[in-house]
């Protein structure tokens, strides 16, 4: 008679260990995927320059700071057509948002990070601006 504690056969002990190991590995894999998708910077960081079109606070459930730069230069996939280069982004800090909000129309150099996914409380885009590198008046 080969039994373990509580009178259950030993063969279930190995099956329980397998399922416990499987569940732990599944949770770890899911946690790693969530970290990679939403918290690991995709291209680490970069700088974009252009005219600030707008900076707004918006959202239904999560109020986030959003903005748009119009970048200089004309690029188009078809010959003879004009296309502006727009950079839409979310803003991390309220202080950065306040500076941008009060200086619409000026030229900014913005430092950003790109993430693989969008989180509703972080913003509407994958691009998160975390600082202002430079601000200047447009040349007239």
């Amino acid at each position: 008679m080969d039994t373990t504690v509580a009178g259950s056969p030993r063969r279930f002990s190995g099956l329980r260990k397998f399922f416990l190991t499987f569940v732990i590995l599944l949770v770890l894999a899911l946690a790693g995927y969530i970290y990679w998708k939403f918290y690991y910077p995709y291209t680490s960081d970069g700088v974009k320059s252009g005219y600030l079109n707008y900076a707004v606070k918006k959202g239904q459930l999560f109020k986030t700071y959003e903005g748009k730069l119009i970048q200089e230069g004309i690029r188009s996939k078809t010959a003879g057509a004009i296309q502006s280069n727009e950079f839409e982004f979310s803003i991390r800090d309220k202080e950065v948002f306040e500076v941008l909000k009060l200086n619409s129309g000026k030229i900014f150099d913005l430092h950003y990070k790109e993430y693989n996914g969008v989180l509703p409380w972080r913003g509407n885009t994958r691009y998160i601006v975390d600082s202002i590198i430079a601000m200047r008046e447009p040349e007239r």
Side-chain angles (χ1 to χ4, degrees):
M1 201 119 174
D2 206 62
T3 59
T4 61
V5 182
S8 60
R10 275 191 184 191
R11 60 188 171 137
F12 291 115
S13 169
L15 192 57
R16 284 186 191 149
K17 285 181 184 178
F18 170 77
F19 280 124
L20 181 63
T21 304
F22 178 75
V23 168
I24 289 172
L25 290 176
L26 186 65
V27 168
L28 288 174
L30 184 62
Y33 174 76
I34 289 171
Y35 174 77
W36 172 81
K37 180 76 174 168
F38 298 109
Y39 295 100
Y40 182 75
Y42 177 63
T43 57
S44 72
D45 60 349
V47 176
K48 294 273 187 174
S49 298
Y51 294 90
L52 181 65
N53 191 354
Y54 64 80
V56 295
K57 181 179 179 181
K58 65 180 183 178
Q60 300 269 338
L61 183 59
F62 298 103
K63 299 293 185 189
T64 60
Y65 305 116
E66 308 297 326
K68 182 193 287 189
L69 280 182
I70 306 297
Q71 297 177 293
E72 292 183 355
I74 299 172
R75 294 184 189 136
S76 178
K77 294 179 183 176
T78 58
I82 296 175
Q83 174 184 351
S84 65
N85 300 311
E86 299 175 347
F87 174 61
E88 293 190 20
F89 56 89
S90 300
I91 305 163
R92 178 174 290 171
D93 295 337
K94 184 176 182 178
E95 294 82 22
V96 172
F97 167 72
E98 291 296 330
V99 171
L100 292 173
K101 180 177 80 170
L102 296 174
N103 294 288
S104 183
K106 293 185 180 178
I107 299 173
F108 282 90
D109 297 335
L110 301 175
H111 182 267
Y112 72 94
K113 290 184 180 180
E114 181 182 1
Y115 293 89
N116 290 310
V118 176
L119 292 170
W121 54 87
R122 187 168 62 194
N124 294 333
T125 68
R126 295 176 1 176
Y127 302 99
I128 309 298
V129 168
D130 55 6
S131 64
I132 299 170
I133 295 174
M135 175 181 69
R136 58 192 179 280
E137 292 287 336
E139 297 175 11
R140 304 221 181 224

